[in-house]
Amino acid sequence: YPGNLDPDTGVTVTFSPVNFVGCLNCFDSTALGTFAGTFGNQTLRGEFFGITADGITDDYAALTNALTVMKRTESRLELPAGVIRVTDTPKCRNESGVKRGNWTLAGAGRGTVIYQVTAGKHCLEVGSYDVGAVTSDVMEGITIKDIACVGTTGTARALYLNSIARSNFENLYLCGDDVDLYIEGCLLSSWSGIKLGYAAFNENPTSGITLPTTRDYGLYVANNNQAYTTNVFNGLVIEGHSVGGMYVYGGSTNTYNNLTCEGEIGYGIKSTSEWDVFNGVYVEGITGYALDLENTQKVTVMSLFTNRETVYLNNASAVFVNSRADFLIGSISGPNSFYNCDGTIEYEVGTGGATETNFVSCDLYNRTHKTTIKNGKSGLSTDSFSSNAPRPLCEHIIYTQKP
């Protein structure tokens, strides 16, 4: 037992993989000693580092120390059930000139809560050495699962991820005052079972925590100049935000399966990413647009259901299949195609940039429900549409003239 070792004495203790985990509790975790080396596939426990998870003690230093050991030893860290109260941002980032990865951070599901109580701070920050930059200094091969992150009113992001690749995120419950889940420059990764905003706790938070009152965004993705991000989101649930449920800036070739977005005061989903696929989307109770596609191309939307909220296309081209919504087509948009869609397709007038050609490029195939075309040019008829939409397939369409 290496007792009474003060980190500032310069003493070095060498552990073998066999006894490493059992000796961790010999250290004063609050002293933030330095750990280095690779110890194989070890499982660490938050209690080894003094994490209390009692909702009263400030666990920031203990959690930071645990994250450092997990990162440097490429191990699995299991956090205890309870409320891990922190007063600063716990960080797990690459060090200058050193790439880290291949570690796992896990909890006990919704029962493990990292609770941020200081204004302007994140609950958890993970990624590259350069904070706020998208660089080649990516962190790869990590897994974060079965954890909740909650910030009180005035805090920043529940989970902030920066420059991460080929990683997995599972069963996360996130609720921050600014953004629930902020993803910056991440690629080739998968998210499943992620619940954001009120959906994280069904408006019934764990005892001892208070949900923030503002909640600007649920998911905010800033891909900057990343050409191909190719992320996959499965079972994403977003609820109750003041600006928007989900905003994706840049990137391309992302897939969203079984996405639910409801109760948003602002818009539901807004995206400028290209070549994305939305498969199985439910949007309801939205004040703004259900789906806002601007300055994007080649987007595919399948099985979109709304309570007749509006989908807005502006300088965009998309294909909609088996979808129920009202569509508003803005300037310089097209070609857009609609297969088995139910709703109203309206051509936005007075924008200064919209032309008949843009509207005519909207192809209609195999209509099974009544659809109204509004604000069409004078003399508009089925003959004005693509030859790919023969007259017999368009007999359920009603045309109205431009006012």
Side-chain angles (χ1 to χ4, degrees), residues 75-98:
S75 302
R76 175 188 174 96
L77 171 62
E78 294 183 353
L79 298 180
V83 177
I84 303 173
R85 183 178 181 271
V86 294
T87 56
D88 202 348
T89 301
K91 299 176 182 178
C92 185
R93 288 191 167 277
N94 285 336
E95 298 143 47
S96 180
V98 181

Side-chain angles (χ1 to χ4, degrees), residues 327-394:
F327 299 89
L328 178 62
I329 301 175
S331 61
I332 324 175
S333 288
N336 296 293
S337 299
F338 302 86
Y339 297 75
N340 285 340
C341 295
D342 178 13
T344 296
I345 301 176
E346 182 173 354
Y347 175 50
E348 186 178 42
V349 296
T351 60
T355 66
E356 182 176 2
T357 302
N358 294 324
F359 182 56
V360 169
S361 65
C362 297
D363 300 331
L364 298 150
Y365 297 90
N366 299 321
R367 310 299 303 193
T368 58
H369 302 283
K370 181 182 289 187
T371 298
T372 301
I373 307 296
K374 293 184 177 180
N375 297 332
K377 294 287 186 178
S378 178
L380 184 67
S381 68
T382 53
D383 295 329
S384 300
F385 287 86
S386 168
S387 59
N388 292 327
R391 189 185 302 270
L393 299 183
C394 300

Side-chain angles (χ1 to χ4, degrees), residues 131-308:
V131 179
V134 179
T135 70
S136 59
D137 178 32
V138 296
M139 181 175 280
E140 297 189 43
I142 69 173
T143 297
I144 302 178
K145 59 188 296 185
D146 302 325
I147 291 174
C149 295
V150 177
T152 58
T153 299
T155 54
R157 301 157 186 170
L159 178 58
Y160 174 29
L161 303 173
N162 166 248
S163 294
I164 291 174
R166 299 172 180 86
S167 297
N168 298 292
F169 304 89
E170 306 170 17
N171 303 325
L172 301 179
Y173 308 87
L174 310 175
C175 190
D177 189 64
D178 178 21
V179 182
D180 299 331
L181 175 57
Y182 192 102
I183 301 172
E184 185 175 40
C186 298
L187 64 155
L188 300 170
S189 296
S190 66
W191 283 261
S192 61
I194 311 298
K195 293 180 172 56
L196 306 179
Y198 272 166
F201 292 92
N202 298 322
E203 302 188 31
N204 295 307
T206 298
S207 176
I209 67 173
T210 302
L211 298 183
T213 57
T214 306
R215 301 180 315 279
D216 291 339
Y217 295 93
L219 172 63
Y220 194 106
V221 182
N223 289 315
N224 299 332
N225 296 321
Q226 295 277 0
Y228 299 99
T229 45
T230 319
N231 295 300
V232 178
F233 296 81
N234 295 308
L236 181 64
V237 182
I238 308 171
E239 182 181 357
H241 299 87
S242 60
V243 178
M246 168 179 159
Y247 179 62
V248 182
Y249 174 75
S252 66
T253 62
N254 301 298
T255 301
Y256 304 88
N257 297 313
N258 300 321
L259 168 62
T260 299
C261 184
E262 56 186 328
E264 306 298 335
I265 298 173
Y267 56 78
I269 302 166
K270 184 174 183 178
S271 177
T272 65
S273 182
E274 298 185 345
W275 298 93
D276 284 358
V277 175
F278 293 85
N279 182 23
V281 181
Y282 176 82
V283 184
E284 188 173 13
I286 309 298
T287 302
Y289 295 126
L291 176 60
D292 186 345
L293 299 178
E294 296 193 45
N295 302 314
T296 183
Q297 305 294 319
K298 309 299 183 183
V299 175
T300 301
V301 181
M302 298 180 288
S303 300
L304 165 67
F305 178 86
T306 75
N307 192 24
R308 298 304 293 269

